[in-house]
Amino acid sequence: MTNLLRLLALYRPYALWIGASVLISLASLLANIGLIAVAGWFITAMAAAGLAGVTIDYFTPAALIRALAILRSGGRYVDRLISHEATFRLMGELRGHIFASLEPLAPAALADLRSGDITERLRGDIDRLEHVFLRLVSPLVVAWLVGAILVAALARWNGAMALAAAAIFLLAGVAAPALGARAGRAPSRVAATTSADLRARLTDDIKGLAPLLATGADARHIAALERKMDDLLAAEAKVARVGALGQACVGATGELAALAVLAFGAPLLRAGALKSPDLAMAVLAALAALEAFAPLAGAFGGLFGILASADRVFGLIDRKPEVEETARPLPPPARFNISFHAVSLTYPGAARPALTNIDLEISEGARIAFVGASGAGKSSLADLLMRFRDPSQGEIRLGGVALKKLSGRLLHSRIVVVRQNPHLFAATVAENLRLAKRSASDAELWAALASVDLEETIRALPLGLEAPVGAAGEKLSGGQAKRLGLARALLSDAPILFLDEPTEGLDATTAQRILAAVLRRAEGRTLLIATHRPAEMAAMEDVIALDGGARLAPKPQAAFLAPTGSCGLQSTTRA
Ligand SMILES: Nc1ncnc2c1ncn2[C@@H]1O[C@H](COP(=O)(O)OP(=O)(O)OP(=O)(O)O)[C@@H](O)[C@H]1O
């Protein structure tokens, strides 16, 4: 419920829009009720005048009927316009708000969420929140106001008649929504969470279709999706049943209110305390009140589904970032030497540290190779350097300034990391490259491609630089996608490059050519390479060996090049 209140609080900047929408909705509903009531009064009065052989002024009621008809139709149109505009603005803002909250979370604090899940929270769940105002709040407020106005109007003729109508309106406007919400609580929550899960799974399965087909696991996954779909349909059927029952109950509101007015009005008519046109008007007004209460019937059955979506959306916003941005970042340091001071890192929930007590001094422009078996901690070093995570202990400094005191944006403009499988966007070759340097000319793009041996391949594509690379670069081979990621990094002006196994999987000749180009383009910059290749180690000024997260004792570079298995690491002792 707290999240529902938080959601409603977000509407505060749109209070004027919402007030206007409720007023216009109320006016058009009252116009409709007035139209039916005045028409009833008019017909009865005309009949009574005919029987009595007298004439009455029919211009005024006819004009009133016309005016009410125009107000009803125009009001409905303007109401839709305003209420939807307010809702769309709010949803747009909420999406922007969520995107802004996602940025500091990425990548570490989102690592446990499937990408389909995040997409679903941003799309489906937010869409569901749209109903809060349109289907719940506005209809409820309008129904209560209409009920109160009708009861006040009836009270002018007879208190008991007004009380009876009030009791019926309370049943329809308070008891029925409350019961509907209660009955729909479990199934609507199940429907919302199952639907979110189903979409997230579907997204994941579509992304991983190739391995699913290759391993023959597709049938199992399809069966699992079908089971989820059955669960969803069953939950939605229950929500629909609650809605239908609510509709049946609320549907009787108008008739019951009309009967109550008739029951109390007939004796007044006989006693001459009420005229027949007035009674007809009151009965028809009570009957027409149904229009105000009808939307409440099914809406509240799904209330808890909307709350489940609100929980999922706010659950994303409320996640704690792995790293806190400093509110007052220091200016960029003058130098770019890197130092690690007794740095340890233990991932949340991990049994043992990924990095232990690492001390490092990397001077500006240095060329260092990081070596170590898989899981030794090389990529974790890069994550810490980019401040995707903070060390559990110790401190990292850039130019003598603690990373925590620098802004994330500054850090990311100074240090570029190329991961083992760099992410490519579903955009063109040029767009992917220009992420690193927006102003890069085509000639610069070609030069960057040439340095990773990709120029010929891209020139051979009919669209060249404008060729789309497909989702996550799937139109390129694994090696080509990796090289495009590398070209992107080389294009940037960042003074520090961290390349995580840049030539892994490439043949020795291509790897050698690319290494030469990397060294050329990294001239004057700090170049850090995580590698298993002796040639890359040999090209660096220094080799730092990691084993199980600890830095091994320094030893001559040549020792790493000895063919003793895992880069000559076995005989090395811990630092
Ligand atoms: N997000 C994570 N959550 C928990 N443990 C992690 C996470 N990422 C890495 N680890 C663990 O931290 C240790 C170091 O991993 P890291 O990826 O830094 O090694 P690496 O040397 O880069 O390995 P590789 O050469 O295979 O890429 C490993 O034991 C790994 O299982």
Side-chain angles (χ1 to χ4, degrees):
M1 248 341 153
T2 331
N3 282 338
L4 183 63
L5 296 179
R6 281 177 73 184
L7 181 66
L8 292 177
L10 291 177
Y11 275 99
R12 207 171 296 142
Y14 305 101
L16 259 180
W17 287 81
I18 287 174
S21 154
V22 167
L23 275 182
I24 291 168
S25 177
L26 178 68
S28 68
L29 255 165
L30 287 177
N32 187 46
I33 295 173
L35 177 68
I36 294 169
V38 172
W41 180 92
F42 187 37
I43 293 167
T44 317
M46 291 289 279
L51 285 174
V54 292
T55 55
I56 59 164
D57 163 26
Y58 58 83
F59 287 110
T60 312
L64 187 59
I65 287 171
R66 232 171 275 141
L68 288 169
I70 292 169
L71 184 60
R72 178 186 68 166
S73 310
R76 276 182 186 161
Y77 175 72
V78 178
D79 170 36
R80 297 283 183 282
L81 217 60
I82 291 184
S83 58
H84 283 79
E85 179 68 24
T87 304
F88 290 152
R89 279 175 185 233
L90 175 76
M91 292 305 132
E93 188 153 308
L94 193 57
R95 280 199 173 91
H97 185 50
I98 294 183
F99 269 120
S101 341
L102 279 182
E103 203 187 335
L105 293 177
L110 298 176
D112 61 320
L113 288 179
R114 287 178 293 182
S115 64
D117 188 3
I118 299 176
T119 317
E120 179 53 19
R121 287 177 201 234
L122 281 169
R123 218 190 55 78
D125 285 315
I126 292 192
D127 280 353
R128 224 165 280 127
L129 297 187
E130 184 181 301
H131 300 318
V132 166
F133 176 68
L134 293 177
R135 296 223 193 137
L136 299 180
V137 179
S138 173
L140 197 63
V141 172
V142 171
W144 285 347
L145 288 173
V146 165
I149 291 169
L150 281 180
V151 167
L154 293 174
R156 288 181 58 243
W157 282 308
N158 183 266
M161 180 196 284
L163 269 181
I168 292 162
F169 292 155
L170 277 175
L171 275 179
V174 178
L179 287 174
R182 208 183 141 81
R185 183 183 183 133
S188 68
R189 266 198 185 278
V190 173
T193 46
T194 313
S195 149
D197 187 32
L198 182 66
R199 286 175 203 232
R201 276 170 185 248
L202 206 56
T203 315
D204 277 355
D205 282 355
I206 290 171
K207 271 178 149 182
L209 202 53
L212 281 183
L213 289 171
T215 54
D218 53 319
R220 251 191 348 267
H221 276 239
I222 289 172
L225 286 176
E226 279 172 353
R227 277 197 302 279
K228 276 272 160 213
M229 182 66 103
D230 289 344
D231 293 347
L232 176 61
L233 288 177
E236 281 184 341
K238 281 186 196 157
V239 176
R241 270 201 292 279
V242 172
L245 202 65
Q247 244 147 20
C249 296
V250 174
T253 310
E255 282 82 354
L256 282 177
L259 271 177
V261 170
L262 201 58
F264 286 96
L268 295 175
L269 186 70
R270 270 198 300 276
L274 193 65
K275 290 193 181 119
S276 56
D278 290 343
L279 180 60
M281 181 161 77
V283 169
L284 285 171
L287 192 63
L290 172 67
E291 199 196 340
F293 292 95
L296 305 182
F300 281 80
L303 171 67
F304 284 91
I306 294 175
L307 285 182
S309 287
D311 290 348
R312 285 167 48 79
V313 168
F314 285 111
L316 198 56
I317 295 178
D318 293 343
R319 275 180 171 241
K320 213 172 124 6
E322 280 285 326
V323 291
E324 293 283 351
E325 272 270 321
T326 168
R328 286 203 210 105
L330 292 180
R335 319 267 333 153
F336 296 118
N337 55 307
I338 300 164
S339 51
F340 279 57
H341 302 271
V343 168
S344 296
L345 170 70
T346 305
Y347 285 101
R352 58 178 207 86
L355 292 171
T356 318
N357 209 21
I358 302 283
D359 283 307
L360 276 180
E361 284 294 338
I362 301 171
S363 52
E364 216 175 286
R367 299 187 163 189
I368 313 272
F370 289 94
V371 301
S374 177
K378 304 176 296 289
S379 310
S380 300
L381 276 183
D383 274 6
L384 290 181
L385 204 50
M386 290 293 273
R387 215 177 158 228
F388 288 154
R389 297 182 184 275
D390 276 336
S392 319
Q393 275 162 26
E395 190 172 71
I396 304 172
R397 295 184 199 143
L398 180 68
V401 182
L403 295 191
K404 281 184 178 180
K405 295 188 179 157
L406 297 171
S407 84
R409 249 178 230 297
L410 172 91
L411 210 56
H412 300 156
S413 68
R414 301 298 194 272
I415 306 172
V416 166
V417 171
V418 182
R419 306 207 157 262
Q420 288 175 26
N421 295 303
H423 181 78
L424 295 180
F425 289 86
T428 64
V429 171
E431 282 164 337
N432 269 292
L433 287 173
R434 285 202 174 101
L435 286 176
K437 188 173 178 187
R438 209 186 295 181
S439 60
S441 64
D442 281 4
E444 283 178 275
L445 302 190
W446 285 120
L449 290 170
S451 55
V452 294
D453 238 20
L454 261 188
E455 186 184 0
E456 243 176 74
T457 314
I458 303 297
R459 283 207 192 273
L461 298 174
L463 292 175
L465 286 174
E466 298 312 315
V469 302
E474 66 181 10
K475 290 193 178 179
L476 302 174
S477 76
Q480 289 168 341
K482 197 175 166 94
R483 278 183 282 151
L484 190 56
L486 185 57
R488 181 166 62 194
L490 296 177
L491 194 63
S492 86
D493 297 324
I496 301 168
L497 295 177
F498 190 119
L499 312 181
D500 200 348
E501 309 204 10
T503 55
E504 179 74 3
L506 301 181
D507 62 274
T509 324
T510 314
Q512 195 60 45
R513 258 205 318 271
I514 289 179
L515 175 65
V518 166
L519 292 173
R520 205 173 48 250
R521 293 195 66 123
E523 198 68 55
R525 312 199 227 182
T526 306
L527 180 63
L528 312 174
I529 293 188
T531 183
H532 296 290
R533 281 187 190 267
E536 281 168 15
M537 293 176 216
M540 299 290 120
E541 294 160 0
D542 201 358
V543 179
I544 292 177
L546 295 171
D547 183 21
R551 184 176 171 184
L552 298 180
K555 60 177 185 172
Q557 194 167 357
F560 292 102
L561 311 177
T564 49
S566 176
C567 311
L569 291 176
Q570 288 87 335
S571 58
T572 318
T573 50
R574 299 233 166 184

